[in-house]
């Protein structure tokens, strides 16, 4: 009876596995079509200088408007796309759409930088650096306006090749930043080896400020380590006023989060930017996100 039961639970397990795999396969097929059929869009979340409040740039975040399922968050499809070569199509799309948007903003005098999330697989993809640089050139945008957000895991995958790619990108003045800093295999070694110029301190620490003293110590340590290496820091996930005020008392350089604004579509971002005239101050009613 025991063997039978085991057999049955194996079958259940297999069934769940197979269902999971086929859902993934189905999702990837749909995702590819979604890109080609225009169901994918980029939204933009502002990033501000902590001292001056200047809105110096945005992070591009992908949105999938599925015709039947509605809006699908990137956390549900990006990790699966990263398991396949589809991530190349996804990243090409993100870069092209966001940089075309940036070029349009520059024409109207909006002096902003654009940050795009890229995956480990992108850095190991032949011709990736050349593709990025030619997209910039084609749009007439100089390198310092593009920031590439990579996670710590990406840097640890194949250090030698990653270093080669990142060095070429950094030589073209691109900003290389470490996303979700503190959640990965934080190795202090890569920080001084890799041409990194910005650390994005993960939301999980920022959210616990200002009460949680250990989160405060982690922030201080990350900021001072970064500054000693000539690297700037940005706090992610700033959701309330007390956190923002606290951050201003630290050495952290920039902030991003729902307190300032969520990611907005391009027209929404322009309205928001114009209403604060490119400088965000906490508590200013003119700065409420426009959706
Ligand atoms: P991420 O790169 O760490 O992006 C920040 C995420 O935090 C975004 O979620 C953003 O909407 C959310 N966020 C911003 N401020 C706050 C806040 O104050 N509180 C909270 N709770 N959340 C905040 P989103 O847009 O759902 O994206 C999730 C992840 O999906 C991103 O994390 C990124 O890793 C990935 N992703 C999004 N777009 C792309 C893309 O175009 N390409 C790639 N490769 N990955 C992407
Ligand atoms: Mg990011
Ligand atoms: Mg990311
Ligand atoms: Mg992050």
């Amino acid at each position: 009876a025991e063997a039978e039961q085991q057999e049955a639970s194996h079958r259940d397990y297999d069934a769940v596995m197979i269902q999971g795999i086929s859902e993934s396969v189905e999702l990837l097929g749909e995702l590819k079509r979604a890109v080609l059929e225009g169901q994918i869009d980029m939204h933009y979340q502002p990033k501000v200088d902590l001292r001056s409040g200047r809105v110096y740039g945005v992070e591009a975040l992908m949105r999938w408007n599925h015709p039947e399922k509605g809006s699908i968050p990137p956390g549900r499809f990006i990790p699966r796309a990263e398991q396949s070569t589809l991530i190349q199509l996804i990243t090409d799309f993100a870069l092209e759409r966001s940089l075309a948007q940036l070029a349009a903003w520059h024409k109207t005098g909006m002096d902003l930088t654009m940050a795009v999330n890229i995956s480990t697989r992108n850095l190991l993809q032949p011709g990736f650096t050349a593709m990025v640089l030619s997209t910039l050139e084609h749009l007439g945008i100089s390198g310092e306006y593009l920031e590439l957000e990579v996670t710590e895991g990406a840097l640890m995958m194949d250090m030698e090749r990653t270093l080669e790619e990142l060095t070429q990108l950094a030589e073209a003045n691109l900003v290389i930043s470490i996303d979700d800093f503190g959640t990965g295999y934080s190795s202090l070694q890569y920080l001084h080896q890799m041409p990194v110029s910005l650390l994005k301190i993960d939301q999980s620490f920022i959210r616990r400020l200002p009460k949680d003293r250990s989160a405060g110590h982690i922030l201080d340590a990350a900021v001072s380590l970064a500054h000693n290496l000539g690297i700037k820091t940005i706090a992610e996930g700033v959701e309330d006023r007390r956190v923002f005020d606290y951050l201003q008392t630290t050495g952290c350089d920039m902030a991003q989060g729902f307190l300032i604004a969520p990611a907005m579509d391009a027209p929404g971002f322009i309205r928001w930017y114009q209403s604060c005239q490119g400088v965000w101050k906490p508590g200013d009613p003119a700065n409420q996100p426009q959706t």
Side-chain angles (χ1 to χ4, degrees):
E2 210 173 88
E4 236 169 67
Q5 217 171 18
Q6 240 177 26
E7 171 73 38
S9 76
H10 268 149
R11 271 201 307 273
D12 289 351
Y13 178 74
D14 288 348
V16 169
M17 274 276 290
I18 288 166
Q19 197 190 355
I21 291 168
S22 64
E23 273 172 10
S24 272
V25 169
E26 191 186 291
L27 186 97
L28 289 177
E30 280 189 89
L31 182 53
K32 185 167 185 180
R33 237 179 307 128
V35 175
L36 304 173
E37 289 174 5
Q39 294 167 28
I40 306 282
D41 193 14
M42 301 308 287
H43 280 201
Y44 304 95
Q45 185 178 34
K47 309 211 255 183
V48 305
D49 184 280
L50 263 168
R51 322 261 160 250
S52 66
R54 192 171 95 81
V55 182
Y56 72 93
V58 296
E59 176 175 2
L61 293 158
M62 191 168 277
R63 298 292 177 258
W64 179 359
N65 306 304
H66 192 284
E68 286 114 43
K69 295 175 189 153
S71 160
I72 304 177
R76 286 226 8 242
F77 63 88
I78 299 275
R80 297 194 207 183
E82 281 174 342
Q83 308 291 309
S84 88
T85 53
L86 195 55
I87 193 62
Q88 302 185 4
L89 182 67
I90 292 289
T91 302
D92 287 2
F93 176 86
L95 279 163
E96 263 161 44
R97 174 62 63 86
S98 322
L99 288 173
Q101 184 61 71
L102 186 68
W105 287 339
H106 283 178
K107 282 209 180 81
T108 69
M110 291 162 78
D111 185 24
L112 295 164
T113 63
M114 179 64 67
V116 177
N117 290 280
I118 63 165
S119 306
T120 314
R121 232 187 152 102
N122 296 130
L123 283 176
L124 302 175
Q125 167 189 333
F128 178 71
T129 298
M131 183 275 284
V132 173
L133 299 183
S134 85
T135 306
L136 283 168
E137 196 184 316
H138 167 75
L139 289 164
I141 297 172
S142 51
E144 66 261 34
Y145 287 101
L146 177 60
E147 175 187 335
L148 297 179
E149 299 192 2
V150 299
T151 55
E152 293 165 278
L155 301 184
M156 311 296 286
M157 273 279 282
D158 182 343
M159 288 266 258
E160 214 170 299
R161 279 201 51 201
T162 306
L163 179 61
E164 218 171 279
E165 295 299 311
L166 292 183
T167 302
Q168 278 187 51
L169 293 162
E171 275 168 1
N173 295 324
L174 271 72
V175 174
I176 308 297
S177 69
I178 308 294
D179 207 350
D180 311 330
F181 182 74
T183 61
Y185 322 77
S186 299
S187 153
L188 300 181
Q189 175 149 17
Y190 73 74
L191 268 188
H192 83 92
Q193 275 186 354
M194 299 282 175
V196 167
S197 38
L198 180 66
L199 284 195
K200 302 197 74 182
I201 300 164
D202 192 63
Q203 322 196 353
S204 55
F205 305 108
I206 303 305
R207 229 180 283 133
R208 281 153 46 201
L209 298 170
K211 271 207 184 123
D212 187 323
R213 293 196 56 215
S214 67
H217 292 319
I218 291 169
L219 175 78
D220 291 343
V223 169
S224 83
L225 171 69
H227 287 177
N228 283 323
L229 295 168
I231 296 172
K232 292 206 167 192
T233 53
I234 179 165
E236 292 196 87
V238 178
E239 291 183 357
D240 74 65
R241 178 68 190 273
R242 280 167 316 154
V243 176
F244 188 87
D245 293 346
Y246 173 82
L247 285 168
Q248 285 191 311
T249 70
T250 71
C252 188
D253 303 289
M254 285 99 72
Q256 177 180 357
F258 293 168
L259 173 72
I260 300 156
M264 296 163 275
D265 63 13
F269 173 74
I270 294 172
R271 285 195 298 275
W272 179 87
Y273 185 86
Q274 286 172 346
S275 77
C276 70
Q277 295 175 302
V279 181
W280 184 84
K281 290 275 187 282
D284 185 344
N287 292 340
Q288 292 316 304
Q290 318 265 303
T291 37

